[in-house]
Amino acid sequence: MTRLRLASVNVNGVRAAFRKGMGDWLDTRDVDVLALQEVRASSDDLAGLLGDEWDIVHDPATAKGRAGVAIASRHRAHVHRVEIGPSDFDSAGRWIEADYELDGTTVTVVSCYVHSGEVDTPKQDEKWKFLDAMTERLPALRAHNPLAVVVGDLNVGHDQRDIKNWKGNVKRAGFLPRERAYFSRFFGAEGEQVEGADGSTGPGLGWVDVGREQAGDVDGPYTWWSWRGQAFDNDSGWRIDYQVATPDLAAKVSSYTVDRAAAYDQRWSDHAPVVVDYEL
Protein backbone atom coordinates (compact mmCIF):
# COMPACT_ATOMS: atom_id res chain seq x y z
CA MET A 1 0.00 0.00 0.00
CA THR A 2 1.27 3.46 -0.96
CA ARG A 3 0.56 6.56 1.09
CA LEU A 4 -0.18 9.74 -0.83
CA ARG A 5 0.01 12.85 1.35
CA LEU A 6 -1.76 15.64 -0.49
CA ALA A 7 -1.57 19.17 0.89
CA SER A 8 -3.48 22.14 -0.49
CA VAL A 9 -3.21 25.80 0.47
CA ASN A 10 -4.04 29.24 -0.83
CA VAL A 11 -0.66 30.88 -0.30
CA ASN A 12 -1.85 34.46 -0.90
CA GLY A 13 1.29 35.07 -2.95
CA VAL A 14 3.89 32.32 -2.80
CA ARG A 15 6.91 34.62 -2.53
CA ALA A 16 5.43 36.39 0.49
CA ALA A 17 4.43 33.05 2.01
CA PHE A 18 8.00 31.77 1.81
CA ARG A 19 9.33 34.99 3.32
CA LYS A 20 6.99 34.44 6.28
CA GLY A 21 7.89 30.78 6.89
CA MET A 22 6.10 28.51 4.44
CA GLY A 23 9.34 26.70 3.67
CA ASP A 24 9.76 25.70 7.32
CA TRP A 25 6.26 24.21 7.32
CA LEU A 26 6.89 22.33 4.08
CA ASP A 27 10.20 20.93 5.33
CA THR A 28 8.45 19.20 8.24
CA ARG A 29 5.28 17.84 6.57
CA ASP A 30 6.59 15.06 4.28
CA VAL A 31 4.18 16.08 1.52
CA ASP A 32 4.01 14.04 -1.70
CA VAL A 33 1.80 16.38 -3.74
CA LEU A 34 1.36 20.09 -3.00
CA ALA A 35 -1.48 22.06 -4.58
CA LEU A 36 -1.26 25.84 -4.46
CA GLN A 37 -3.70 28.64 -5.19
CA GLU A 38 -3.16 32.39 -5.56
CA VAL A 39 0.44 31.71 -6.53
CA ARG A 40 0.87 35.18 -8.04
CA ALA A 41 4.38 34.43 -9.30
CA SER A 42 6.18 33.04 -12.33
CA SER A 43 7.06 29.40 -12.93
CA ASP A 44 10.71 30.31 -12.42
CA ASP A 45 9.84 31.86 -9.04
CA LEU A 46 8.05 28.66 -8.02
CA ALA A 47 10.91 26.44 -9.07
CA GLY A 48 13.41 28.62 -7.22
CA LEU A 49 11.40 28.54 -4.01
CA LEU A 50 10.48 24.85 -4.01
CA GLY A 51 13.75 23.42 -5.34
CA ASP A 52 14.80 20.84 -7.90
CA GLU A 53 13.24 17.87 -6.12
CA TRP A 54 9.74 19.02 -7.09
CA ASP A 55 8.06 18.55 -10.46
CA ILE A 56 5.83 21.59 -11.02
CA VAL A 57 2.85 22.25 -13.28
CA HIS A 58 1.62 25.83 -13.16
CA ASP A 59 -1.13 27.85 -14.79
CA PRO A 60 -0.67 31.58 -14.18
CA ALA A 61 -3.56 34.00 -14.49
CA THR A 62 -4.06 36.09 -17.62
CA ALA A 63 -3.61 39.24 -15.53
CA LYS A 64 -0.14 39.35 -14.00
CA GLY A 65 -0.09 39.26 -10.21
CA ARG A 66 -3.54 37.69 -9.92
CA ALA A 67 -4.71 34.18 -9.04
CA GLY A 68 -2.51 31.38 -10.40
CA VAL A 69 -2.74 27.68 -9.54
CA ALA A 70 0.01 25.05 -9.40
CA ILE A 71 0.67 21.47 -8.39
CA ALA A 72 4.10 20.36 -7.22
CA SER A 73 4.92 16.70 -6.76
CA ARG A 74 7.72 14.32 -5.90
CA HIS A 75 6.49 12.36 -8.92
CA ARG A 76 6.42 13.68 -12.47
CA ALA A 77 2.98 14.45 -13.86
CA HIS A 78 2.51 12.37 -16.99
CA VAL A 79 -0.22 14.66 -18.33
CA HIS A 80 -1.83 17.89 -17.22
CA ARG A 81 -4.79 19.96 -18.44
CA VAL A 82 -6.01 23.48 -17.79
CA GLU A 83 -9.16 23.78 -19.89
CA ILE A 84 -12.50 24.18 -18.15
CA GLY A 85 -15.74 25.68 -19.39
CA PRO A 86 -16.54 27.36 -22.72
CA SER A 87 -13.69 28.35 -25.00
CA ASP A 88 -14.47 32.05 -24.51
CA PHE A 89 -14.33 31.76 -20.71
CA ASP A 90 -11.08 32.98 -19.16
CA SER A 91 -10.36 30.42 -16.44
CA ALA A 92 -6.58 30.94 -16.54
CA GLY A 93 -4.96 30.65 -13.14
CA ARG A 94 -7.96 28.91 -11.58
CA TRP A 95 -7.99 25.24 -12.65
CA ILE A 96 -5.19 22.79 -13.35
CA GLU A 97 -5.43 19.00 -13.51
CA ALA A 98 -2.55 16.54 -13.37
CA ASP A 99 -2.36 12.74 -13.50
CA TYR A 100 0.21 11.02 -11.28
CA GLU A 101 1.16 7.35 -11.38
CA LEU A 102 2.08 5.93 -7.96
CA ASP A 103 3.19 2.29 -7.91
CA GLY A 104 0.87 1.47 -10.79
CA THR A 105 -2.11 3.50 -9.52
CA THR A 106 -3.06 6.71 -11.32
CA VAL A 107 -4.48 9.55 -9.25
CA THR A 108 -5.84 12.75 -10.80
CA VAL A 109 -5.32 15.92 -8.76
CA VAL A 110 -6.92 19.28 -9.51
CA SER A 111 -5.79 22.54 -7.93
CA CYS A 112 -8.75 24.93 -8.08
CA TYR A 113 -9.25 28.56 -7.12
CA VAL A 114 -12.87 29.67 -7.40
CA HIS A 115 -13.59 33.37 -7.76
CA SER A 116 -14.38 35.17 -4.51
CA GLY A 117 -17.24 37.01 -6.19
CA GLU A 118 -19.14 40.12 -5.17
CA VAL A 119 -22.92 40.28 -5.12
CA ASP A 120 -24.56 41.91 -8.17
CA THR A 121 -21.28 42.66 -9.95
CA PRO A 122 -19.43 41.18 -12.94
CA LYS A 123 -17.18 39.40 -10.41
CA GLN A 124 -20.17 37.35 -9.27
CA ASP A 125 -21.16 36.65 -12.88
CA GLU A 126 -17.72 35.15 -13.44
CA LYS A 127 -18.16 33.04 -10.32
CA TRP A 128 -21.47 31.65 -11.61
CA LYS A 129 -19.79 30.77 -14.91
CA PHE A 130 -17.00 28.98 -13.10
CA LEU A 131 -19.39 27.00 -10.86
CA ASP A 132 -21.34 26.03 -13.98
CA ALA A 133 -18.10 24.87 -15.61
CA MET A 134 -17.25 22.79 -12.54
CA THR A 135 -20.71 21.21 -12.67
CA GLU A 136 -19.98 20.12 -16.24
CA ARG A 137 -16.40 19.02 -15.60
CA LEU A 138 -16.82 16.93 -12.43
CA PRO A 139 -18.71 14.01 -14.04
CA ALA A 140 -16.23 13.93 -16.93
CA LEU A 141 -13.33 13.99 -14.48
CA ARG A 142 -14.77 11.05 -12.55
CA ALA A 143 -15.29 9.17 -15.81
CA HIS A 144 -11.68 9.91 -16.76
CA ASN A 145 -10.39 8.45 -13.49
CA PRO A 146 -12.36 6.99 -10.54
CA LEU A 147 -9.46 8.11 -8.30
CA ALA A 148 -9.70 11.89 -8.64
CA VAL A 149 -9.70 14.80 -6.21
CA VAL A 150 -10.37 18.54 -6.58
CA VAL A 151 -8.59 20.57 -3.93
CA GLY A 152 -8.23 24.23 -3.21
CA ASP A 153 -9.85 27.48 -2.21
CA LEU A 154 -13.40 27.00 -3.46
CA ASN A 155 -14.59 30.25 -1.85
CA VAL A 156 -17.97 28.92 -0.69
CA GLY A 157 -19.01 27.76 2.75
CA HIS A 158 -21.42 24.91 2.10
CA ASP A 159 -23.57 25.12 5.23
CA GLN A 160 -23.92 26.80 8.62
CA ARG A 161 -21.15 24.67 10.14
CA ASP A 162 -18.66 26.16 7.71
CA ILE A 163 -18.83 29.80 8.83
CA LYS A 164 -18.60 31.07 12.40
CA ASN A 165 -20.85 34.06 11.78
CA TRP A 166 -23.14 32.51 9.17
CA LYS A 167 -26.19 34.61 10.05
CA GLY A 168 -24.34 37.79 9.16
CA ASN A 169 -23.15 36.44 5.81
CA VAL A 170 -26.21 34.97 4.07
CA LYS A 171 -26.30 37.91 1.64
CA ARG A 172 -22.56 38.00 1.02
CA ALA A 173 -20.56 36.21 -1.66
CA GLY A 174 -19.19 32.99 -0.25
CA PHE A 175 -22.39 32.04 1.57
CA LEU A 176 -25.14 32.94 -0.87
CA PRO A 177 -27.90 30.32 -1.01
CA ARG A 178 -27.41 29.94 -4.77
CA GLU A 179 -23.67 29.30 -4.31
CA ARG A 180 -24.32 26.75 -1.58
CA ALA A 181 -26.81 24.96 -3.83
CA TYR A 182 -24.02 24.13 -6.27
CA PHE A 183 -22.12 22.44 -3.44
CA SER A 184 -25.19 20.50 -2.34
CA ARG A 185 -25.34 19.09 -5.86
CA PHE A 186 -21.60 18.39 -5.95
CA PHE A 187 -21.90 16.36 -2.74
CA GLY A 188 -25.39 14.91 -3.28
CA ALA A 189 -25.97 11.24 -4.04
CA GLU A 190 -25.19 10.60 -7.70
CA GLY A 191 -28.24 10.97 -9.91
CA GLU A 192 -30.67 11.81 -7.10
CA GLN A 193 -32.51 15.12 -7.14
CA VAL A 194 -30.98 17.45 -4.58
CA GLU A 195 -32.66 20.57 -3.20
CA GLY A 196 -30.32 23.48 -2.63
CA ALA A 197 -30.40 26.25 -0.03
CA ASP A 198 -32.00 28.52 -2.65
CA GLY A 199 -34.83 26.07 -3.31
CA SER A 200 -33.43 24.94 -6.67
CA THR A 201 -33.14 21.26 -7.52
CA GLY A 202 -30.69 19.33 -9.62
CA PRO A 203 -28.98 15.96 -9.87
CA GLY A 204 -26.33 15.07 -7.31
CA LEU A 205 -22.86 14.42 -8.67
CA GLY A 206 -21.75 12.01 -5.96
CA TRP A 207 -18.45 13.62 -4.95
CA VAL A 208 -17.32 13.55 -1.30
CA ASP A 209 -16.42 16.53 0.89
CA VAL A 210 -13.50 14.83 2.66
CA GLY A 211 -13.21 17.52 5.32
CA ARG A 212 -16.83 17.29 6.41
CA GLU A 213 -16.85 13.49 6.23
CA GLN A 214 -13.78 13.29 8.44
CA ALA A 215 -14.69 16.07 10.89
CA GLY A 216 -18.33 15.08 11.34
CA ASP A 217 -21.14 17.30 12.54
CA VAL A 218 -19.07 20.05 14.15
CA ASP A 219 -18.42 23.73 13.51
CA GLY A 220 -15.48 24.05 11.14
CA PRO A 221 -12.70 23.18 11.26
CA TYR A 222 -12.14 26.56 9.64
CA THR A 223 -9.42 27.13 7.05
CA TRP A 224 -9.50 30.91 6.50
CA TRP A 225 -9.50 33.84 8.92
CA SER A 226 -9.40 37.54 8.15
CA TRP A 227 -6.15 39.32 8.96
CA ARG A 228 -8.27 42.03 10.60
CA GLY A 229 -9.32 42.23 14.23
CA GLN A 230 -9.39 39.15 16.45
CA ALA A 231 -10.79 36.73 13.87
CA PHE A 232 -7.90 34.27 14.14
CA ASP A 233 -7.55 34.44 17.91
CA ASN A 234 -11.31 33.94 18.31
CA ASP A 235 -11.39 31.22 15.63
CA SER A 236 -14.00 33.25 13.79
CA GLY A 237 -13.28 31.70 10.42
CA TRP A 238 -14.65 30.13 7.27
CA ARG A 239 -14.16 26.59 5.95
CA ILE A 240 -13.69 27.37 2.26
CA ASP A 241 -10.63 25.22 1.47
CA TYR A 242 -11.61 21.71 0.43
CA GLN A 243 -10.47 18.32 -0.74
CA VAL A 244 -13.37 16.97 -2.80
CA ALA A 245 -12.80 13.36 -3.84
CA THR A 246 -14.51 10.70 -5.88
CA PRO A 247 -16.11 8.04 -3.67
CA ASP A 248 -13.42 5.51 -4.60
CA LEU A 249 -10.65 7.85 -3.50
CA ALA A 250 -12.52 9.16 -0.44
CA ALA A 251 -12.74 5.56 0.81
CA LYS A 252 -8.93 5.55 0.97
CA VAL A 253 -8.57 8.53 3.34
CA SER A 254 -6.60 7.68 6.48
CA SER A 255 -5.95 11.18 7.89
CA TYR A 256 -7.34 14.71 7.56
CA THR A 257 -5.70 17.76 9.15
CA VAL A 258 -6.05 21.52 8.97
CA ASP A 259 -2.61 22.91 9.77
CA ARG A 260 -3.77 25.95 11.72
CA ALA A 261 -0.87 28.12 12.87
CA ALA A 262 -0.10 28.03 16.59
CA ALA A 263 -0.43 31.81 16.87
CA TYR A 264 -1.42 34.83 14.80
CA ASP A 265 2.18 35.97 14.29
CA GLN A 266 3.18 32.52 12.97
CA ARG A 267 0.80 32.64 10.01
CA TRP A 268 2.30 32.79 6.52
CA SER A 269 -1.07 33.01 4.74
CA ASP A 270 -4.61 33.93 5.71
CA HIS A 271 -5.50 30.34 4.78
CA ALA A 272 -4.33 27.17 6.55
CA PRO A 273 -3.10 24.13 4.62
CA VAL A 274 -5.49 21.19 4.33
CA VAL A 275 -3.49 17.94 4.48
CA VAL A 276 -4.99 14.54 3.67
CA ASP A 277 -3.38 11.10 3.57
CA TYR A 278 -4.74 8.58 1.06
CA GLU A 279 -3.75 4.89 1.29
CA LEU A 280 -3.67 3.68 -2.30
Side-chain angles (χ1 to χ4, degrees), residues 58-101:
H58 176 215
D59 187 36
T62 302
K64 190 174 181 180
R66 300 275 302 280
V69 287
I71 309 173
S73 174
R74 308 289 188 178
H75 314 271
R76 182 170 293 276
H78 59 83
V79 64
H80 77 277
R81 301 162 294 273
V82 297
E83 297 82 11
I84 185 173
S87 59
D88 62 346
F89 177 45
D90 181 9
S91 61
R94 294 191 178 273
W95 182 273
I96 189 167
E97 306 174 9
D99 293 344
Y100 298 98
E101 189 170 314

Side-chain angles (χ1 to χ4, degrees), residues 1-8 25 28-33 102 107 149 151 210-211 213-214 243 245 248-259 274-280:
M1 190 172 288
T2 302
R3 185 215 71 185
L4 168 64
R5 177 163 292 169
L6 172 57
S8 175
W25 166 81
T28 65
R29 276 311 253 134
D30 194 23
V31 171
D32 300 301
V33 177
L102 306 162
V107 178
V149 59
V151 307
V210 171
E213 182 177 76
Q214 293 295 311
Q243 296 210 16
D248 287 357
L249 188 58
K252 300 179 183 298
V253 172
S254 61
S255 173
Y256 170 87
T257 309
V258 175
D259 281 5
V274 176
V275 185
V276 178
D277 287 353
Y278 298 90
E279 300 294 337
L280 305 178

Side-chain angles (χ1 to χ4, degrees), residues 86-137:
S87 59
D88 62 346
F89 177 45
D90 181 9
S91 61
R94 294 191 178 273
W95 182 273
I96 189 167
E97 306 174 9
D99 293 344
Y100 298 98
E101 189 170 314
L102 306 162
D103 293 335
T105 299
T106 299
V107 178
T108 300
V109 178
V110 181
S111 182
C112 176
Y113 177 44
V114 176
H115 304 68
S116 55
E118 187 178 333
V119 175
D120 296 331
T121 72
K123 292 181 180 179
Q124 192 66 32
D125 294 336
E126 289 297 294
K127 190 173 189 177
W128 300 134
K129 288 180 185 177
F130 195 89
L131 292 171
D132 284 338
M134 285 183 67
T135 302
E136 292 294 318
R137 181 60 188 152

Side-chain angles (χ1 to χ4, degrees), residues 216-228:
D217 187 12
V218 299
D219 291 338
Y222 306 124
T223 64
W224 174 85
W225 305 262
S226 171
W227 287 113
R228 298 191 300 272

Side-chain angles (χ1 to χ4, degrees), residues 16-215:
F18 265 80
R19 284 197 302 270
K20 295 175 182 177
M22 178 181 170
D24 294 335
W25 166 81
L26 189 58
D27 287 344
T28 65
R29 276 311 253 134
D30 194 23
V31 171
D32 300 301
V33 177
L34 174 66
L36 306 175
Q37 303 88 44
E38 269 203 281
V39 172
R40 290 195 259 139
S42 70
S43 295
D44 287 343
D45 289 331
L46 264 178
L49 291 168
L50 291 174
D52 295 338
E53 67 269 28
W54 293 90
D55 177 71
I56 301 167
V57 293
H58 176 215
D59 187 36
T62 302
K64 190 174 181 180
R66 300 275 302 280
V69 287
I71 309 173
S73 174
R74 308 289 188 178
H75 314 271
R76 182 170 293 276
H78 59 83
V79 64
H80 77 277
R81 301 162 294 273
V82 297
E83 297 82 11
I84 185 173
S87 59
D88 62 346
F89 177 45
D90 181 9
S91 61
R94 294 191 178 273
W95 182 273
I96 189 167
E97 306 174 9
D99 293 344
Y100 298 98
E101 189 170 314
L102 306 162
D103 293 335
T105 299
T106 299
V107 178
T108 300
V109 178
V110 181
S111 182
C112 176
Y113 177 44
V114 176
H115 304 68
S116 55
E118 187 178 333
V119 175
D120 296 331
T121 72
K123 292 181 180 179
Q124 192 66 32
D125 294 336
E126 289 297 294
K127 190 173 189 177
W128 300 134
K129 288 180 185 177
F130 195 89
L131 292 171
D132 284 338
M134 285 183 67
T135 302
E136 292 294 318
R137 181 60 188 152
L138 286 176
L141 192 63
R142 185 173 171 185
H144 164 73
N145 185 0
L147 298 178
V149 59
V150 177
V151 307
D153 177 4
L154 305 190
N155 259 319
V156 175
H158 179 214
D159 62 37
Q160 295 171 8
R161 298 168 295 183
D162 297 320
I163 299 182
K164 183 68 169 283
N165 178 26
W166 67 268
K167 289 182 180 178
N169 285 286
V170 290
K171 295 183 179 180
R172 288 186 58 197
F175 200 61
L176 298 173
R178 181 179 166 190
E179 294 174 333
R180 293 159 55 203
Y182 280 93
F183 281 60
S184 293
R185 293 189 287 271
F186 294 165
F187 307 143
E190 186 177 15
E192 292 188 9
Q193 288 297 306
V194 177
E195 182 172 351
D198 63 346
S200 66
T201 59
L205 302 184
W207 287 66
V208 178
D209 177 356
V210 171
R212 179 54 60 210
E213 182 177 76
Q214 293 295 311

